Amino acid sequence: MSKNITFDRHTSNKLKNEVTIDIDKWGVPHIKAQNLHDLFFAQGWNAARDRLWQIDVARKRGLGLLSRDFGPGYLEQDRAARLFLFRGAMSAEWQAYGPNSEEICSAFAEGINSYVESCHDGLIALPPEFGLLGHMPDYWKPEDVVRVRTHSLTRNAISELLRCKVLALAGVERGARLNSLRQELSPATVPRPADGFDPAIMTDRVLQDFRLAVSPVSFLRERLAASLQEAGRWTRVTPSDEIMQTVFQEGSNNWAISATKTTTGRPILALDPHRKHVLPSIRYLVHLSMPGLDVIGAGEPMIPGISMGHNGTAAFGLTIFGADQEDIYVYDTTSGGKEYFYSGNWEKVKTITEKIPVRGHTDQEVQLQYTRHGPILHQDAEKDRAFALRTVWMDPGMAPYMASLAVMRSKTFSEYISSLAHWGCPSVNHIYADTSNVIAWKPSGAAPVRRNWDGLLPVPGDGRFEWEGYLSPENGPFEMNPAKGFVATANAMNVPEEWSRSHPAFGYEWSDSSRHDTLHTTLSRPENISLRDCMSLQCSVYSPIAVRVLARLENLLGAVPDMPALHLLSTWDRHLDASSPAAAFFEIWLCKHLGPTIARLEGADDEVLALLVPLQPSAVASWLEKAQPSERLKHSITESLTSAWTECIGRLGGDSASWAWGSIHRLDLRHPLQALASEQWSLGAIALGGSSSTLNLSSYRNEQFSVSEGPSVRMIIDVGSWDDSLFINNPGQSGVPISNHYQDLSLDWRRGEYKPLLYSEESIRRELEHRVVLSRGDS
């Protein structure tokens, strides 16, 4: 059907020409304009149409404006968020993102504001969440798009704190072995405290504000009802283990295959960014078309452009790359914390005073403090000590994914490489494939150069430990048209050894290499790869960890009495299917019994073990592969198998044949306001296979095994035959609970099915659901 919308009198003069938005049957908007301003105006308007409540809350969270709408329970989160806002010159910020970036963000904000104005005037109905909470959407400024940084994935401040706490309890050498069970380091190294630094001074309070700033917004009744006197209660709104797991398990897989290795005779590029599962999806697909630009793909709805997809000539995708972009600094202070020691002198702490509006109260004054390195996170007045964070966020050009505005327009390899020179955050493995059969990998993002320390522990902020700028992009590694016929990444350590020998390390903390190894093994096969093969790869629940652990088990156990656990595992195919009894047992054993057993063998007590979980599965496998057989080890492993079997009986019942991994490994997509809503806005829990080590990543919380992270969107691009490309976005394109596209893709996503990513005008017309026309007032 056709649906025409004409701007009201407030907005009709904002467009230069008519714009059409063709929405296909899967909820993907295909926006067609005649000029740059109108195109991104329409993208902003459309983002509000489908995701207004989501982007409004995200903006308020990032700018520190939650308590104005929701009350004192959000005051501490607002203060924390404001610590990390970009406060530099906007001229340098806009310049960092390339030509037209300010114009694009201005038009994008205008489009959002046009939709918001129509809502305020009662011409368009607000999403129901606004009525439930009794608040209204804000108007945007162009700089709002880029000043917020706290939704970007960076690392490794939280890991520095955890590592310190283990060292303080276990000592340097034993602590290093124990820490390696939580996070293997590559290149291998033993982190050692800097002269004058005592790891025991590090407490959870040091990163309390940081954790609060990066936490999602919660809407608990008691938080919404909190008084001003109770505001200080709400300084921990997300469990520490949840943020820790998110840091290392949000990643992705991507690969690009040369035409010589595909059944289509064209390159294929595939991607499936892994993020925390939320409702609505963190990603949004959109098609943007105007003379000279025709791009389609996915991004985050509050950011203009797309960060992964194609432009009709070149396709591009990304995964997280493990550059270390954060450091905790510790200072000696004096004058009541107003000065800190640096390079032989006392420097003044910079203080910014702001007033935060709070619903039902007068504005609350807060002080935000900074050293030359970054925001002060905590002051210990009794010990004359302060803690600050240096993060790439504070520099110009670090708004997450904004450099995609240049990348998405690149149609040759040289243009692509040039566009990546300005990529700041997050650090990513960028891959590329074009119609001339060029495929490439180029890690990108701000990579601090540390000459005299490794960045794995906090350091004194006295001037001895300074970043020497960022690694020059042109000096970084890359790969183009490799002989093997593909490039593939999965967040693992993949920096070429030859390059590493002559350059400072990007970082030492990477994801488990299991997904990377599975990809490279499969793509190296002699048979050509099809689009369907790529679908199977993205949905694979094959567990290399299970293969490694069980291969070592026989050697370490030798002859053992007949155990039902070993019998169950002996006939298992090593796939973590949702219906598999063996998968359920293996993951419970690995996570809650075998891993802790190994940690205790290395000397971990309960206090240390609590700091190590979740243990890295590959680290557990590596430990077993290095272990020498002994009676003590045999006894410990046998006991862990027995205790795991007992737990499975308690959780899943006495009949092991009826056990199923998906009965406890479930994704429960809950709307943030479900506890307040009378309507059902959440989706029912669904059984999933996989783990953090399978290509179909489904990482989980340790205690209950509920799924937390996974592929927010999947895309497989047939380079050159664009209409044969495929996608899926869980659970749907729209964030409006009453929309037909709120959860219409969920079942297909669960089944591993895909929808066509339509590109040509003919295919879009064929699958058109409805059309929106944004008209000038005189048209």
Side-chain angles (χ1 to χ4, degrees), residues 429-466:
N429 289 290
H430 232 288
I431 63 167
Y432 171 93
D434 67 25
T435 52
S436 68
N437 197 29
V438 172
I439 62 171
W441 161 74
K442 173 65 175 172
S444 303
V449 175
R450 302 172 181 85
R451 295 292 183 188
N452 61 326
W453 90 105
D454 53 29
L456 290 168
L457 293 169
V459 290
D462 56 14
R464 289 180 290 154
F465 302 94
E466 295 294 335

Side-chain angles (χ1 to χ4, degrees), residues 25 72 238 280 286 571 749:
K25 64 170 63 175
T238 303
V286 65
T571 58
W749 176 86

Side-chain angles (χ1 to χ4, degrees), residues 159-177:
S159 187
E160 287 184 25
L161 173 62
L162 289 172
R163 186 172 286 110
C164 267
K165 294 177 73 174
V166 172
L167 293 185
L169 293 169
V172 173
E173 300 300 334
R174 186 158 61 97
R177 293 196 303 274

Side-chain angles (χ1 to χ4, degrees), residues 491-619:
N491 320 117
M493 169 59 171
N494 60 349
V495 181
E497 185 177 343
E498 182 178 350
W499 187 93
S500 296
R501 283 197 293 268
S502 56
H503 295 85
F506 282 103
Y508 296 84
E509 297 177 302
W510 309 81
S511 292
D512 171 2
S513 66
S514 298
R515 291 180 288 114
H516 175 275
D517 295 343
T518 301
L519 267 182
H520 280 250
T521 298
T522 304
L523 296 178
S524 295
R525 75 184 197 189
E527 299 85 7
N528 285 350
I529 307 292
S530 68
L531 293 171
R532 183 157 294 278
D533 291 332
C534 291
M535 294 167 63
S536 297
L537 271 174
Q538 288 186 337
C539 299
S540 170
V541 293
Y542 167 75
S543 172
I545 293 298
V547 172
R548 291 174 63 188
V549 168
L550 297 182
R552 187 66 178 140
L553 203 59
E554 182 177 350
N555 181 262
L556 292 175
L557 292 183
V560 296
D562 186 32
M563 298 179 67
L566 293 178
H567 176 72
L568 179 65
L569 294 173
S570 68
T571 58
W572 179 39
D573 65 0
R574 280 54 167 171
H575 284 71
L576 298 174
D577 294 302
S579 60
S580 169
F585 174 78
F586 179 81
E587 288 297 313
I588 288 174
W589 173 56
L590 176 72
C591 170
K592 297 192 65 180
H593 299 270
L594 177 61
T597 293
I598 289 172
R600 293 189 188 284
L601 289 172
E602 285 290 353
D605 57 18
D606 288 346
E607 188 176 7
V608 170
L609 185 58
L611 296 169
L612 299 178
V613 294
L615 275 68
Q616 192 174 39
S618 60

Side-chain angles (χ1 to χ4, degrees), residues 256-442:
I257 312 171
S258 170
T260 59
K261 277 188 67 69
T262 68
T263 59
T264 65
R266 297 178 296 273
I268 295 174
L269 186 144
L271 56 99
D272 62 346
H274 305 150
R275 295 291 296 270
K276 180 178 174 59
H277 284 297
V278 292
L279 185 64
S281 170
I282 197 171
R283 306 289 186 189
Y284 186 74
L285 281 95
V286 65
H287 185 181
L288 305 170
S289 180
M290 62 172 245
L293 179 67
D294 194 3
V295 300
I296 186 169
E300 296 186 10
M302 63 183 292
I303 303 171
I306 62 169
S307 56
M308 56 199 85
H310 73 81
N311 58 27
T313 300
F316 44 91
L318 50 85
T319 68
I320 291 298
F321 178 77
D324 181 355
Q325 297 182 309
E326 297 168 347
D327 281 306
I328 300 174
Y329 283 87
V330 185
Y331 308 85
D332 293 327
T333 61
T334 189
S335 304
K338 295 179 180 178
E339 295 180 324
Y340 63 96
F341 189 74
Y342 182 81
S343 288
N345 298 297
W346 293 98
E347 291 197 0
K348 289 187 179 298
V349 168
K350 178 182 177 182
T351 300
I352 297 174
T353 301
E354 292 190 346
K355 290 186 176 181
I356 300 179
V358 181
R359 188 188 65 192
H361 300 273
T362 58
D363 292 355
Q364 300 297 301
E365 187 171 281
V366 297
Q367 290 190 335
L368 311 174
Q369 296 184 312
Y370 299 83
T371 70
R372 61 169 47 231
H373 296 118
I376 293 178
L377 304 175
H378 175 52
Q379 288 242 29
D380 186 340
E382 291 185 4
K383 302 292 178 61
D384 290 323
R385 189 179 290 139
F387 303 83
L389 183 69
R390 181 155 195 191
T391 168
V392 299
W393 285 346
M394 311 310 288
D395 291 342
M398 300 297 161
Y401 303 109
M402 274 296 295
S404 295
L405 291 178
V407 174
M408 72 180 189
R409 291 182 267 190
S410 301
K411 294 189 174 183
T412 66
F413 177 70
S414 61
E415 290 177 355
Y416 165 73
I417 290 295
S418 296
S419 69
L420 289 175
H422 302 288
W423 192 282
C425 261
S427 56
V428 296
N429 289 290
H430 232 288
I431 63 167
Y432 171 93
D434 67 25
T435 52
S436 68
N437 197 29
V438 172
I439 62 171
W441 161 74
K442 173 65 175 172

Side-chain angles (χ1 to χ4, degrees), residues 616-691:
Q616 192 174 39
S618 60
V620 173
S622 295
W623 190 94
L624 289 173
E625 287 164 348
K626 296 172 185 174
Q628 296 301 312
S630 70
E631 284 302 313
R632 181 190 180 206
L633 179 56
K634 177 180 177 179
H635 176 73
S636 297
I637 293 176
T638 302
E639 277 200 337
S640 75
L641 287 164
T642 301
S643 61
W645 191 263
T646 300
E647 178 173 350
C648 284
I649 290 174
R651 283 180 177 270
L652 304 171
D655 179 12
S656 62
S658 68
W659 296 351
W661 176 219
S663 66
I664 55 173
H665 186 246
R666 298 168 70 82
L667 173 61
D668 187 7
L669 279 179
R670 288 185 59 80
H671 190 283
L673 300 185
Q674 187 59 69
L676 309 176
S678 57
E679 300 88 352
Q680 182 56 256
W681 291 346
S682 298
L683 279 63
I686 58 174
L688 293 180
S691 72

